[in-house]
Amino acid sequence: MSDYKHPHQDAEFVLNELVGFDDLCAANGFDDINFELASAILTEAGKLGSEVLAPLNVIGDNQGVKLTEQGVEETAGFKEAYQQFAEGGWSSLIADEEYEGQGLPNVLCTAVNEIWQSANMAFALCPLLTQGAVEAIAHHGSEELKQTYLPKMVSGEWTGTMNLTEPDAGTDLAAIKTRAIPNGDHYLITGQKIFITWGDHQMTDNTIHLVLARLPDAPAGVKGISLFVVPKFLLDAEGNPGVRNDVKCVSVEHKLGIHASPTCVMSYGDKEGAIGYLVGEANKGLAYMFTMMNCARQGVGLQGVAIAERSYQQALDYAKERLQGTNKDGSRFAIIKFPDVRRMLMQMKSATEAMRALAFVGAAEVDRAGRAQDEADQRRHQARLELLTPIVKGWITELSQEITYLGTQVNGGMGFIEETGSAQHYRDARILTIYEGTTGIQALDLVGRKTLLNKGEALAELLAEIEETVVALSKHEGFAEQGAALREALEAGNTARSWLLENAAKDPAAAGAVSVHFMMLFGYLCGGWLMGQSALRAQTLLDAGEGDPEYLKAKLVTAQFFSEHLLPRTKASLETIQKGSASIMALSEDQF
Amino acid sequence: MSDYKHPHQDAEFVLNELVGFDDLCAANGFDDINFELASAILTEAGKLGSEVLAPLNVIGDNQGVKLTEQGVEETAGFKEAYQQFAEGGWSSLIADEEYEGQGLPNVLCTAVNEIWQSANMAFALCPLLTQGAVEAIAHHGSEELKQTYLPKMVSGEWTGTMNLTEPDAGTDLAAIKTRAIPNGDHYLITGQKIFITWGDHQMTDNTIHLVLARLPDAPAGVKGISLFVVPKFLLDAEGNPGVRNDVKCVSVEHKLGIHASPTCVMSYGDKEGAIGYLVGEANKGLAYMFTMMNCARQGVGLQGVAIAERSYQQALDYAKERLQGTNKDGSRFAIIKFPDVRRMLMQMKSATEAMRALAFVGAAEVDRAGRAQDEADQRRHQARLELLTPIVKGWITELSQEITYLGTQVNGGMGFIEETGSAQHYRDARILTIYEGTTGIQALDLVGRKTLLNKGEALAELLAEIEETVVALSKHEGFAEQGAALREALEAGNTARSWLLENAAKDPAAAGAVSVHFMMLFGYLCGGWLMGQSALRAQTLLDAGEGDPEYLKAKLVTAQFFSEHLLPRTKASLETIQKGSASIMALSEDQF
């Protein structure tokens, strides 16, 4: 089993050189926060991740979870790890100081979160979901709800869950059937929710469920969905967990991966109805969910970075240790000497770096959009945030499949054996293109709400910014080829944008048919853009004699590799996009 | 759980229209065999596959196998299924009539084999490995060995295994350490073999192991490896299983997939030494293995077709059943209406058809190369067979990963739940790019032995033949675009070939570094070539009013889709190839 070590140099390079962390803090009112502090936080998080969470990853995979009469029992050791996590203050990094949070920038929390997700993705889903529930209450709940629930959720004393999906309402939330009946100061909730991550466990003495349900007089469809807080244990007069509420986990799913993360079927109101409290106004539940969507989706994109990094580290260890060839003197050498093994490792390393760059740059837009003083700035960053989010989620998680696939491939026959550990990363990664909106949903969001709705303006601004990097690369003799490659990819992006704007109106199936290729094209383009910037920054630092030259020289190579091996895919995507929907829609259902 | 149904129309289309089955039989001395008989055999096999083997697939995945004091216990129900399989004569299709075989063409056996592999890949590995052992003995064993072992192996009364790998000798068989000491008319074998598929089970009353080992005076490396027959039970004077030999399974691997196929660690000679019989001459074991390699590797390529087909059928069923959207009248519709779901299904269908076409065309070359009357013909078909084999194995199995991935994706959240069944196909498929030579090994074989060694001549002949299809498509108004797309892919192939010939000599890392992209490029090109031929044949039949018009029109669409969605990848591969090894080899090992 391979150890996990946080790639702190690369995380810090992205924060400093691509995000401009200190400038971001200064410009957005994070007054006492700077890169030095960020670096210290990352170092501490790296220790907890490597020493406490990472060793539990394989144990969680093997043991999984168990549903007993007392509810879901998590993997042995998780409770202690969770307590250490909460006591270390790691649950409270991002929340407002008003609710006992530390109010750190989202981009720093994202960099820290990469560590938890790499070390133990199944474990890390629990605080990730809690953070979502905290945001929902913080943004939309009454002052009373906030004061009642937030401090203990922020401290990690209680966890939170998100209850959206039902057996007949997955992507299509309009079909939600769970009912909420007014009953004095609260509501009685009845219904079944599925795919509820960490829906039950014994790690904390309460769990706060956020639940979408319909009021009796609610309009049909998405406009009739409300959001409720439903605690596992009702609070007594002192605000402590008391009587058990009428909600329980009735089964846990048997899944391909993330075995240690209980995926629960939750039953509300088997007896008298589960007591719930309305969040905000009635019938606005779905809108409230949408306000959290950027962070939630970027969080899953980040999981793609994290699992790719972990898989890479495992494969690299194996490639350096596994002797396969024989030298002329009879001594043996490790498989990392073979060009094709190096190709796979380079693909993993280079792609993971590009994914990390995009994930952090996207995360920084959350800070900028949320805090910009100037209204025009705010609008600009909000537009960029919304544009990047489906790319962060869609492209990164799709690419993470390829990376974890290569991770097992580097291991050869051992990659197929569970004890080696690589297969777990491959299995765990598989959920990422599915939950929090499938790849198809991300792609539809990108072509629809994020492009067609604004007539491609947001995309045009991004393309113009990428052009600046093209120009900077092209001016530099050492990067002329990378500049040319990025220009070709940029042209593919421009052409794809125009094609979409022109054809979506003519052919109702066009946008949906080309959407995933469109999203992947822009993912590779953004990756190439940020790797191009990385190369320029690395060269500047090298020229100035600053930084670790071995790391910076390696960055030049991974940027070149990205340009040579991954950017050309933009053109294949474009070619496919330009064919439109014809061959996709031509068959009758019976002809399939 | 989705049922399995053999896609007989497509299998028969490929046999008739691309392979030219009747002509192949007539020209190669398969006198009593024709398409009508083949079709009847496929129909019968389809029944056994659907009714008996397919329902055991998920049971095997759930139960797996167990090592007890009596040896490996296979999944309940497998023994009865195996007996039905053997009694139906399905073990003996390909073997020579001299040893009680039915002497059917390899291409027909391949079409039948697709059914077993789709229905239950873990089960079907057992007869597949037996077939390999039969071939080894039939081609290289003494008359006595053949008479003693072949009839019962051919009938399926006994199974066979292939014992190559050791803990320190995987791809690098030169490192084999298992010893064979001469002892009268036999040898005493001592050593450990790993990754032995179906190395032990209780389905038959004997298992015949083919084992690579070294004689005491053998030269070092690959030139000192000999091949032995080691039966699990020694035969008595009547040729029936008697005393237990000194060989046993000491553990079974815990694997990502194919749970019902026991992957054994076999221990030879824990006591006095396992009794083994030399096959052919001493020190020629590896050469003997190589003579079986084309069939074995094509067999794994075929598994890629089979698992892709099964995954497609599962996803299609789900897409037709799963209601997600709502019509204006309030009724709901299935997700197959969504363009992006159709894109995924089309990708699965179109790629699987192309893979099947290439697998069968490659399999037919085994018949032609083995039976051609004319020496020039024989050489030509042998060269084509050897050229296509690494593409059949490498490209198809790589593409099968993408197809089974899409299969789970179509299922959305349910795809991650094991009970849905799609995840099993995804896990089972993962072994295919690893065993029988990883993708990297196939690619090296293609660029090295199959291209550089003959100065690209075999590839040039293939490219010239593809040109004929380009010309035929281009002449036909309806296929002008497909012709143009295939021409571009062909040019990419020509350019890649020239690049390799030119650069391999200059840069020792070049061939290895570009090999996988090179192999994938030729895979997509071959797929496009055969789908182009398919479109032309389908149109000819439609014009003549022959065949099932719905099937033939669908073929026109899948060919168009392949041309639009998969062929463009050839250009991205070419672009990457032309960058050579620089960015792949630039990092020091410490910089990774």
Side-chain angles (χ1 to χ4, degrees):
Chain A
M1 202 58 50
S2 154
D3 292 334
Y4 166 68
K5 193 162 166 280
H6 176 232
H8 68 97
Q9 274 190 309
D10 200 58
E12 295 190 358
F13 179 87
V14 174
L15 283 179
N16 258 333
E17 307 301 332
L18 301 183
V19 168
F21 186 76
D22 279 340
D23 289 348
L24 178 143
C25 290
N28 293 287
F30 294 106
D31 294 335
D32 304 326
I33 300 164
N34 56 29
F35 179 71
E36 201 180 339
L37 176 68
S39 177
I41 291 173
L42 285 170
T43 301
E44 282 310 305
K47 282 183 203 160
L48 184 66
S50 298
E51 293 165 14
V52 178
L53 302 184
L56 286 170
N57 192 43
V58 62
I59 297 170
D61 186 55
N62 289 336
Q63 291 188 4
V65 299
K66 215 164 47 186
L67 182 60
T68 69
E69 291 209 352
Q70 282 69 49
V72 175
E73 275 179 27
E74 67 281 348
T75 304
F78 271 46
K79 182 172 188 162
E80 294 72 19
Y82 181 83
Q83 281 164 352
Q84 206 172 330
F85 182 87
E87 281 161 16
W90 297 108
S91 300
S92 63
L93 296 189
I94 199 169
D96 272 3
E97 285 158 289
E98 197 180 341
Y99 306 106
E100 320 285 334
Q102 301 178 48
L104 295 179
N106 180 64
V107 68
L108 173 56
C109 298
T110 297
V112 171
N113 194 12
E114 184 197 323
I115 296 172
W116 316 139
Q117 304 295 345
S118 272
N120 194 327
M121 202 167 91
F123 174 93
L125 276 163
C126 187
L128 191 69
L129 269 288
T130 302
Q131 187 186 315
V134 165
E135 280 176 45
I137 298 172
H139 289 155
H140 307 293
S142 66
E143 199 49 39
E144 192 192 340
L145 271 186
K146 291 187 209 175
Q147 294 302 342
T148 309
Y149 292 100
L150 288 186
K152 291 194 175 175
M153 293 174 77
V154 166
S155 71
E157 194 174 333
W158 299 343
T159 62
T161 72
M162 307 297 286
N163 293 241
L164 286 70
T165 308
E166 298 178 7
D168 289 321
T171 296
D172 183 12
L173 289 170
I176 278 179
K177 292 192 187 115
T178 296
R179 316 287 309 174
I181 314 283
N183 187 34
D185 72 337
H186 60 260
Y187 294 78
L188 293 175
I189 316 281
T190 315
Q192 195 180 67
K193 294 288 181 177
I194 62 168
F195 294 159
I196 308 310
T197 299
W198 283 96
D200 195 37
H201 59 83
Q202 312 303 320
M203 302 197 299
T204 57
D205 63 5
N206 210 356
T207 298
I208 312 305
H209 304 293
L210 276 278
V211 183
L212 290 181
R214 283 183 189 284
L215 292 171
D217 56 354
V222 294
K223 289 178 182 164
I225 298 171
S226 304
L227 181 63
F228 299 87
V229 162
V230 183
K232 176 177 173 183
F233 292 98
L234 298 168
L235 304 187
D236 63 18
E238 284 76 45
N240 294 316
V243 179
R244 179 75 193 239
N245 202 352
D246 185 12
V247 47
K248 66 174 181 195
C249 170
V250 292
S251 76
V252 291
E253 304 291 354
H254 172 215
K255 307 190 300 295
L256 176 58
I258 51 169
H259 292 163
S261 165
T263 302
C264 300
V265 177
M266 300 298 294
S267 186
Y268 290 86
D270 280 355
K271 299 171 195 157
E272 68 282 2
I275 290 174
Y277 307 95
L278 182 66
V279 178
E281 293 175 43
N283 300 330
K284 295 208 166 164
L286 212 65
Y288 297 163
M289 283 290 150
F290 269 91
T291 62
M292 295 182 304
M293 201 169 277
N294 289 324
C295 283
R297 290 184 167 178
Q298 287 204 9
V300 176
L302 183 73
Q303 292 186 309
V305 180
I307 198 88
E309 174 67 35
R310 185 83 194 258
S311 179
Y312 168 68
Q313 292 190 18
Q314 190 281 338
L316 180 60
D317 283 356
Y318 186 83
K320 285 183 173 178
E321 279 165 20
R322 171 67 177 174
L323 304 176
Q324 183 78 264
T326 307
N327 293 308
K328 279 182 187 155
D329 67 359
S331 64
R332 307 196 73 196
F333 59 83
I335 61 170
I336 194 173
K337 303 276 187 209
F338 290 113
D340 186 56
V341 172
R342 291 182 74 102
R343 176 190 63 85
M344 292 191 277
L345 292 171
M346 281 302 299
Q347 185 116 340
M348 297 179 81
K349 181 174 170 63
S350 171
T352 304
E353 288 178 10
M355 289 150 70
R356 178 178 296 114
L358 183 62
F360 288 13
V361 164
E365 291 301 327
V366 174
D367 294 311
R368 295 193 173 103
R371 298 214 174 206
Q373 307 299 316
D374 179 287
E375 207 177 309
D377 256 16
Q378 199 279 333
R379 264 205 311 274
R380 193 163 50 85
H381 288 299
Q382 185 66 30
R384 177 62 55 86
L385 165 62
E386 293 191 351
L387 180 68
L388 289 184
T389 295
I391 304 174
V392 167
K393 203 286 184 181
W395 176 69
I396 290 178
T397 63
E398 283 288 333
L399 196 47
S400 76
Q401 308 302 312
E402 181 177 337
I403 303 312
T404 53
Y405 168 77
L406 289 173
T408 56
Q409 192 68 15
V410 168
N411 284 265
M414 295 308 294
F416 199 64
I417 306 298
E418 287 287 0
E419 283 77 3
T420 311
S422 183
Q424 182 189 349
H425 307 317
Y426 183 64
R427 288 187 287 100
D428 285 352
R430 188 64 195 85
I431 189 60
L432 300 179
T433 63
I434 297 173
Y435 65 16
E436 212 45 57
T438 62
T439 297
I441 294 297
Q442 305 306 320
L444 264 189
D445 182 44
L446 178 65
V447 296
R449 216 170 304 141
K450 309 301 170 62
T451 301
L452 292 171
L453 198 63
N454 60 44
K455 299 193 171 60
E457 205 180 300
L459 217 41
E461 280 178 31
L462 177 68
L463 289 162
E465 206 171 320
I466 296 173
E467 171 94 40
E468 293 170 22
T469 302
V470 169
V471 170
L473 285 166
S474 307
K475 275 185 191 157
H476 201 299
E477 198 182 339
F479 300 119
E481 278 191 39
Q482 278 182 58
L486 187 60
R487 181 174 298 286
E488 285 189 69
L490 177 67
E491 280 164 15
N494 273 311
T495 309
R497 174 183 168 278
S498 307
W499 188 94
L500 180 69
L501 293 172
E502 200 176 316
N503 287 275
K506 291 187 219 161
D507 169 11
V514 307
S515 60
V516 168
H517 283 289
F518 192 89
M519 189 268 292
M520 293 304 286
L521 188 163
F522 278 94
Y524 288 114
L525 176 57
C526 287
W529 167 50
L530 296 174
M531 290 303 275
Q533 285 186 34
S534 299
L536 290 165
R537 292 297 309 146
Q539 189 62 57
T540 302
L541 291 168
L542 280 166
D543 291 346
E546 288 173 30
D548 172 1
E550 286 306 301
Y551 168 80
L552 295 169
K553 284 186 210 158
K555 181 62 88 177
L556 296 180
V557 175
T558 54
Q560 183 192 343
F561 183 93
F562 193 94
S563 158
E564 294 177 355
H565 282 246
L566 292 150
L567 266 186
R569 296 181 183 182
T570 52
K571 286 181 275 180
S573 288
L574 174 63
E575 202 172 319
T576 295
I577 289 167
Q578 290 172 317
K579 304 295 182 186
S581 72
S583 67
I584 294 174
M585 304 305 288
L587 292 191
S588 72
E589 285 178 28
D590 290 337
Q591 280 177 311
F592 273 96
Chain B
M1 202 58 53
S2 154
D3 292 335
Y4 166 68
K5 193 161 166 279
H6 175 233
H8 68 98
Q9 273 192 310
D10 201 58
E12 295 190 357
F13 179 88
V14 175
L15 284 179
N16 258 333
E17 306 301 330
L18 301 183
V19 168
F21 186 76
D22 280 341
D23 290 348
L24 178 143
C25 291
N28 293 286
F30 293 106
D31 294 334
D32 304 326
I33 300 162
N34 56 31
F35 179 72
E36 200 179 340
L37 176 68
S39 177
I41 291 173
L42 286 169
T43 301
E44 282 310 305
K47 283 183 202 161
L48 184 67
S50 299
E51 293 166 13
V52 177
L53 302 184
L56 285 170
N57 193 43
V58 63
I59 298 170
D61 187 54
N62 289 337
Q63 291 188 4
V65 299
K66 213 165 46 187
L67 182 59
T68 69
E69 291 211 351
Q70 283 68 49
V72 175
E73 276 180 25
E74 67 281 347
T75 305
F78 271 46
K79 181 172 187 164
E80 294 72 19
Y82 180 83
Q83 282 164 350
Q84 207 172 331
F85 182 87
E87 282 162 14
W90 297 108
S91 301
S92 62
L93 295 189
I94 200 169
D96 273 2
E97 285 157 291
E98 198 180 342
Y99 307 107
E100 320 285 332
Q102 300 178 48
L104 295 180
N106 180 64
V107 68
L108 173 56
C109 296
T110 297
V112 171
N113 194 12
E114 183 196 324
I115 296 171
W116 315 140
Q117 303 295 345
S118 272
N120 194 326
M121 202 167 89
F123 174 92
L125 277 163
C126 187
L128 191 69
L129 269 288
T130 302
Q131 187 185 316
V134 165
E135 279 176 42
I137 298 172
H139 289 153
H140 307 293
S142 65
E143 200 47 41
E144 192 190 342
L145 271 186
K146 292 187 208 177
Q147 293 303 340
T148 307
Y149 292 100
L150 288 186
K152 291 193 175 176
M153 294 174 78
V154 166
S155 72
E157 193 173 334
W158 299 343
T159 62
T161 73
M162 307 297 286
N163 293 242
L164 286 70
T165 308
E166 299 178 5
D168 289 321
T171 296
D172 184 12
L173 288 170
I176 278 179
K177 290 192 187 115
T178 296
R179 317 287 307 173
I181 314 284
N183 188 35
D185 71 337
H186 61 260
Y187 294 78
L188 294 176
I189 315 282
T190 316
Q192 195 180 67
K193 294 288 180 178
I194 63 169
F195 294 159
I196 308 309
T197 299
W198 283 97
D200 195 36
H201 59 82
Q202 312 303 321
M203 301 196 299
T204 56
D205 63 5
N206 210 356
T207 297
I208 311 305
H209 304 292
L210 276 278
V211 183
L212 289 183
R214 281 183 191 286
L215 293 171
D217 55 355
V222 293
K223 288 179 181 163
I225 297 171
S226 304
L227 180 63
F228 298 87
V229 162
V230 183
K232 176 177 173 183
F233 291 99
L234 298 167
L235 305 187
D236 63 19
E238 285 76 43
N240 295 317
V243 179
R244 179 75 194 236
N245 202 353
D246 186 11
V247 48
K248 67 173 180 196
C249 170
V250 292
S251 77
V252 290
E253 305 290 356
H254 172 215
K255 306 190 301 294
L256 176 58
I258 50 170
H259 292 163
S261 165
T263 301
C264 300
V265 177
M266 300 298 295
S267 185
Y268 289 86
D270 280 354
K271 299 171 195 158
E272 67 283 0
I275 290 175
Y277 307 96
L278 182 67
V279 177
E281 292 177 42
N283 299 329
K284 295 209 167 163
L286 212 66
Y288 296 164
M289 283 290 151
F290 269 91
T291 61
M292 295 181 306
M293 200 169 275
N294 289 323
C295 282
R297 290 183 166 178
Q298 287 204 10
V300 176
L302 182 73
Q303 292 186 308
V305 179
I307 198 88
E309 173 67 35
R310 184 82 192 258
S311 179
Y312 167 69
Q313 291 189 19
Q314 191 281 337
L316 180 60
D317 283 355
Y318 186 83
K320 285 183 172 180
E321 280 165 19
R322 171 68 176 174
L323 304 177
Q324 183 79 265
T326 307
N327 294 308
K328 281 182 186 154
D329 66 0
S331 64
R332 306 196 73 194
F333 58 84
I335 61 171
I336 193 171
K337 303 276 188 208
F338 290 113
D340 186 56
V341 172
R342 292 182 73 101
R343 176 191 63 85
M344 293 192 277
L345 291 171
M346 281 302 299
Q347 184 118 339
M348 298 180 80
K349 181 175 171 63
S350 170
T352 303
E353 289 180 7
M355 290 150 71
R356 178 177 297 114
L358 183 61
F360 287 14
V361 163
E365 291 300 327
V366 174
D367 294 311
R368 295 195 174 103
R371 296 213 174 206
Q373 307 299 313
D374 180 288
E375 207 177 309
D377 256 18
Q378 199 279 334
R379 263 205 312 274
R380 193 162 52 84
H381 287 299
Q382 185 66 30
R384 177 61 55 86
L385 165 62
E386 292 190 351
L387 180 69
L388 289 184
T389 296
I391 305 175
V392 167
K393 203 285 184 182
W395 176 69
I396 290 177
T397 62
E398 283 289 333
L399 196 48
S400 76
Q401 309 302 312
E402 180 177 337
I403 302 312
T404 53
Y405 168 78
L406 289 172
T408 57
Q409 191 69 17
V410 168
N411 284 266
M414 294 308 295
F416 198 63
I417 306 299
E418 287 286 2
E419 282 77 3
T420 311
S422 184
Q424 182 189 350
H425 307 317
Y426 183 63
R427 288 186 285 98
D428 285 353
R430 187 66 195 85
I431 189 59
L432 300 180
T433 64
I434 296 173
Y435 65 16
E436 211 46 56
T438 63
T439 297
I441 293 297
Q442 306 306 320
L444 263 189
D445 182 43
L446 179 64
V447 296
R449 215 170 305 142
K450 309 301 171 62
T451 301
L452 293 170
L453 198 64
N454 60 44
K455 300 195 170 58
E457 204 180 301
L459 217 42
E461 278 178 33
L462 177 68
L463 290 161
E465 207 171 320
I466 296 173
E467 171 95 38
E468 292 170 23
T469 302
V470 170
V471 170
L473 285 166
S474 307
K475 275 186 192 157
H476 200 299
E477 199 183 340
F479 300 119
E481 280 192 36
Q482 279 182 57
L486 187 60
R487 180 174 300 284
E488 286 189 69
L490 176 67
E491 279 163 16
N494 273 310
T495 309
R497 174 182 167 278
S498 307
W499 188 96
L500 179 69
L501 293 172
E502 200 177 316
N503 287 276
K506 292 186 217 161
D507 170 10
V514 308
S515 59
V516 168
H517 283 290
F518 192 88
M519 189 268 291
M520 293 303 284
L521 188 164
F522 278 94
Y524 288 113
L525 176 57
C526 286
W529 167 49
L530 296 174
M531 290 303 274
Q533 285 185 35
S534 299
L536 290 165
R537 291 298 308 148
Q539 190 61 57
T540 302
L541 291 168
L542 281 166
D543 292 345
E546 289 171 29
D548 172 2
E550 286 307 300
Y551 168 79
L552 294 169
K553 284 185 211 158
K555 180 62 88 177
L556 295 180
V557 175
T558 54
Q560 185 192 342
F561 183 94
F562 193 95
S563 159
E564 293 176 355
H565 283 246
L566 292 151
L567 266 186
R569 296 181 182 182
T570 52
K571 286 181 274 179
S573 288
L574 174 63
E575 202 172 318
T576 295
I577 290 166
Q578 289 172 318
K579 303 293 181 188
S581 72
S583 67
I584 293 173
M585 303 305 288
L587 292 191
S588 73
E589 285 177 29
D590 290 338
Q591 281 177 312
F592 272 96

